[in-house]
Amino acid sequence: MKSYYDYIDEITGDELYKGLLGHGLFAEKLPPIFTSEGFYDYCVLNNPTFADKGRQYVYYESMRNINIPRPLGVPTPMAYQKLCKHLSDEWGQLKNHFAAKTMNQTHKVSRIHIRKMHDEDKLFEMNYDNWRNDGAPENKLIYGMKYTVHADISKCFPSIYTHSLPWALVGKSAAKQTKNQKTLWYNKIDHLTQNTKDLETHGLIIGPHTSNVLSEIILCAVDEKLVSNGWKYIRNIDDYTCFVENEEQAEKFLVELQAELREYDLSLNHKKTIICKLPNAMVEQWVRKIKAISLLTSYGKVDYRNCQTYLDYAIEIAEKEKGNASVLNYAIKTLSGMPLTENAKEYEKEIVFHLCVLYPYLVTILDEYVFSQCSATVNEINHLSQTLFENGINLKLYEQSSYALYFAVKYNFTLDFDVNEIIKTKDCILLAIAYVYCQKNKMSSDIKQLKDYARGFKSIPEDFERMWVFAYEILPESDLRDEWKTLKRAKVSFIRSI
């Protein structure tokens, strides 16, 4: 099995730069209409020297599985490029850090991290699982243990203190003694990270892949301390599962974990701290329950009755789990890999279309796991998208409205809306996709309204940066300033052709 460092060592500095800059600016939760590949190509060709200053970023929200929005962001490309370039240039130093902090691990503690992907240039994917290479250490860690401890960090990315990056890299004492030496490589990481968030020292932007690299710098340092003390656990980004012999050890692990996190100004989320008795704690109960349902018939297909039973049970479990849409997400993805009868497809389509209105978390998986699997027609997708769009506008769930417009662009149908409704949202991502939609459908009057709105941001750099994905794309070169004008002249776009 590969070690943590094996994965890190496979990546060269140039590959890190390409993966982070060309494929890691926009989070996977966004409609796949955005891209930074053209910007990466421009940077490789021109090696630009962007201004070294703090910049604002685009804020947007994506619904979590428990129907609570998660704050995400898109940094300005200039600040992001400078951070990616420095991480790439100092990749040798960072690899040494990861090697030192993980060399004593008997298994790979961190399970979700940057790595080379098969036939892809991106380096990070949430919930990536390759048990053939990563192994399944839980099976060995559980031996002789009677309890598990589940804990996670309270608001991990938003709580990370940028000055703690040097603390993790060279030690708190050395970092504090050299904090005024701004040219030192570890201090530049601190500084350039601040630049992506308008010089704020607290919080990493959730979404860009650099945030995973930066968080791992700190959390691998925490791992080193805990592993050296003999604790047997795994970590999924900021989510810990530790295997212990008794409740006293469980409490001791939590005390030590809290103490190590405090060294970096982080803390535990005590509301999510749970001590469970084995063996029932190995797998979440809802996973065991839903896996127990037999789906395939004797002739090797999922028929109407089995599909109905499976989805009805998934809905029941989700409700018992306090509206946890992860159950439904799991069920839908499971069905997508199975052969369904035509009646089963029709049933799944009707139920999932209904569910995605009630559980906005599901809208992001519709295109990949439902439309094709269930042979949805363009008219059906159109009807659903109209509902999603209106629901999103009315409930301020702009992710739903954004996906509705994305589906309209991809499947070439129109939606009924007033562009002023979209302008009133002030949501950058929704406005950007609305521009693409209006452009495709040659809606010149609506484009003019959107453009007039965008011009309101051009005189104040901070306001422009908060809306850059929309404002940069819609405004002509003559309306842009400085580095934005240069990018536009070079015909760099952050919108993917569909």
Side-chain angles (χ1 to χ4, degrees):
M1 298 297 174
K2 289 184 178 181
S3 69
Y4 187 94
Y5 182 69
D6 288 336
Y7 282 104
I8 297 299
D9 194 40
E10 285 181 340
I11 302 168
T12 67
D14 288 343
E15 288 169 337
L16 182 77
Y17 187 54
K18 185 174 185 178
L20 295 181
L21 185 59
H23 303 273
L25 175 62
F26 297 101
E28 288 79 5
K29 280 289 186 179
L30 283 169
I33 200 169
F34 302 105
T35 177
S36 55
E37 293 177 61
F39 177 64
Y40 164 77
D41 291 339
Y42 169 84
C43 291
V44 170
L45 182 64
N46 296 279
N47 194 26
T49 304
F50 295 121
D52 184 1
K53 63 180 182 179
R55 303 179 192 253
Q56 289 290 347
Y57 64 97
V58 171
Y59 172 90
Y60 68 100
E61 294 179 342
S62 178
M63 193 60 70
R64 299 172 63 190
N65 61 304
I66 52 176
N67 265 10
I68 295 175
R70 182 193 301 276
L72 301 177
V74 185
T76 61
M78 298 83 172
Y80 188 70
Q81 184 273 339
K82 291 185 76 68
L83 175 58
C84 291
K85 186 67 169 65
H86 186 62
L87 292 175
S88 171
D89 290 344
E90 301 299 337
W91 187 230
Q93 299 271 23
L94 291 170
K95 286 203 296 186
N96 290 338
H97 168 76
F98 289 123
K101 300 305 178 186
T102 62
M103 63 186 300
N104 292 325
Q105 295 179 0
T106 57
H107 65 278
K108 187 160 68 68
V109 171
S110 177
R111 313 302 293 172
I112 302 174
H113 52 79
I114 64 167
R115 65 177 77 199
K116 281 191 175 183
M117 303 284 185
H118 182 64
D119 293 334
E120 292 187 88
D121 289 322
K122 71 176 181 179
L123 296 174
F124 182 72
E125 185 175 295
M126 282 296 295
N127 302 320
Y128 186 88
D129 184 20
N130 186 341
W131 62 267
R132 289 182 177 84
N133 290 329
D134 291 69
E138 298 94 327
N139 297 332
K140 291 183 178 180
L141 298 179
I142 198 173
Y143 185 75
M145 302 301 173
K146 295 181 180 179
Y147 290 85
T148 58
V149 186
H150 299 279
D152 70 8
I153 300 171
S154 179
K155 300 179 180 177
C156 181
F157 281 22
S159 298
I160 286 179
Y161 185 44
T162 64
H163 293 339
S164 68
L165 292 165
W167 299 353
L169 289 167
V170 298
K172 187 178 287 189
S173 177
K176 289 191 173 184
Q177 288 175 13
T178 58
K179 66 180 180 180
N180 294 322
Q181 298 179 41
K182 303 302 183 183
T183 59
L184 292 174
W185 69 277
Y186 48 87
N187 286 334
K188 283 190 69 175
I189 291 177
D190 176 4
H191 170 68
L192 294 173
T193 301
Q194 291 177 43
N195 277 358
T196 64
K197 205 177 176 190
D198 198 33
L199 298 181
E200 291 184 27
T201 57
H202 275 91
L204 303 180
I205 300 174
I206 302 174
H209 293 178
T210 50
S211 293
N212 180 264
V213 177
L214 297 170
S215 65
E216 285 290 288
I217 289 172
I218 295 169
L219 298 182
C220 281
V222 172
D223 290 338
E224 181 196 28
K225 295 289 188 179
L226 295 173
V227 168
S228 67
N229 289 340
W231 296 111
K232 298 179 179 181
Y233 69 96
I234 58 172
R235 173 172 59 81
N236 291 307
I237 303 183
D238 63 339
D239 188 352
Y240 295 79
T241 301
C242 184
F243 301 87
V244 295
E245 295 177 359
N246 51 53
E247 290 187 77
E248 183 180 352
Q249 279 194 348
E251 295 291 351
K252 186 177 180 183
F253 171 74
L254 290 172
V255 169
E256 289 193 24
L257 174 58
Q258 176 67 72
E260 294 303 331
L261 292 175
R262 288 304 306 158
E263 289 293 314
Y264 299 97
D265 284 4
L266 297 171
S267 61
L268 284 176
N269 182 347
H270 293 289
K271 292 181 180 179
K272 289 188 177 181
T273 299
I274 304 172
I275 299 173
C276 300
K277 192 170 184 178
L278 289 167
N280 290 335
M282 274 298 290
V283 181
E284 286 195 71
Q285 289 188 14
W286 69 261
V287 177
R288 292 200 307 274
K289 289 178 181 178
I290 203 167
K291 278 186 173 181
I293 298 177
S294 177
L295 276 169
L296 295 177
T297 61
S298 58
Y299 52 88
K301 285 195 172 185
V302 180
D303 65 6
Y304 177 92
R305 184 180 297 278
N306 284 2
C307 183
Q308 181 185 46
T309 301
Y310 185 68
L311 287 174
D312 286 355
Y313 193 43
I315 293 169
E316 181 182 331
I317 295 173
E319 288 302 307
K320 288 181 179 178
E321 294 288 327
K322 301 179 181 179
N324 184 357
S326 290
V327 182
L328 304 174
N329 181 296
Y330 180 92
I332 293 166
K333 288 183 176 180
T334 298
L335 285 173
S336 74
M338 294 189 168
L340 273 64
T341 65
E342 291 305 313
N343 286 338
K345 289 180 181 179
E346 194 64 28
Y347 181 79
E348 182 190 355
K349 181 171 54 183
E350 291 176 356
I351 293 299
V352 174
F353 279 17
H354 171 65
L355 289 173
C356 71
V357 177
L358 300 177
Y359 297 92
Y361 175 73
L362 300 176
V363 73
T364 62
I365 67 169
L366 283 173
D367 199 24
E368 183 176 359
Y369 294 101
V370 181
F371 291 164
S372 177
Q373 165 76 354
C374 297
S375 305
T377 67
V378 172
N379 284 338
E380 289 171 332
I381 299 172
N382 188 344
H383 180 72
L384 170 66
S385 297
Q386 187 68 51
T387 302
L388 290 174
F389 180 86
E390 293 171 2
N391 194 63
I393 294 294
N394 293 334
L395 299 178
K396 301 186 187 304
L397 302 174
Y398 301 134
E399 183 178 43
Q400 278 196 333
S401 301
S402 297
Y403 267 91
L405 283 173
Y406 166 70
F407 297 150
V409 171
K410 180 174 179 177
Y411 293 101
N412 199 29
F413 56 77
T414 59
L415 295 175
D416 181 23
F417 63 86
D418 183 342
V419 74
N420 286 305
E421 291 180 308
I422 296 176
I423 291 173
K424 287 177 184 177
T425 70
K426 301 179 181 179
D427 186 89
C428 177
I429 299 301
L430 178 57
L431 284 158
I433 301 177
Y435 165 59
V436 176
Y437 172 90
C438 292
Q439 190 179 46
K440 180 171 184 176
N441 291 285
K442 298 180 172 57
M443 301 165 66
S444 56
S445 176
D446 287 350
I447 291 175
K448 182 180 183 304
Q449 287 181 264
L450 289 169
K451 193 172 291 186
D452 288 343
Y453 179 64
R455 286 194 173 104
F457 304 113
K458 68 178 187 177
S459 60
I460 303 175
E462 291 81 4
D463 290 348
F464 185 93
E465 288 164 359
R466 291 188 187 97
M467 300 293 288
W468 78 261
V469 178
F470 162 63
Y472 170 78
E473 289 295 333
I474 196 170
L475 292 177
E477 181 187 331
S478 57
D479 281 330
L480 299 174
R481 301 167 57 181
D482 306 324
E483 296 158 328
W484 297 107
K485 181 186 285 288
T486 303
L487 286 183
K488 198 77 171 187
R489 186 178 301 130
K491 303 189 185 309
V492 173
S493 176
F494 296 88
I495 301 295
R496 189 187 306 278
S497 297
I498 298 180

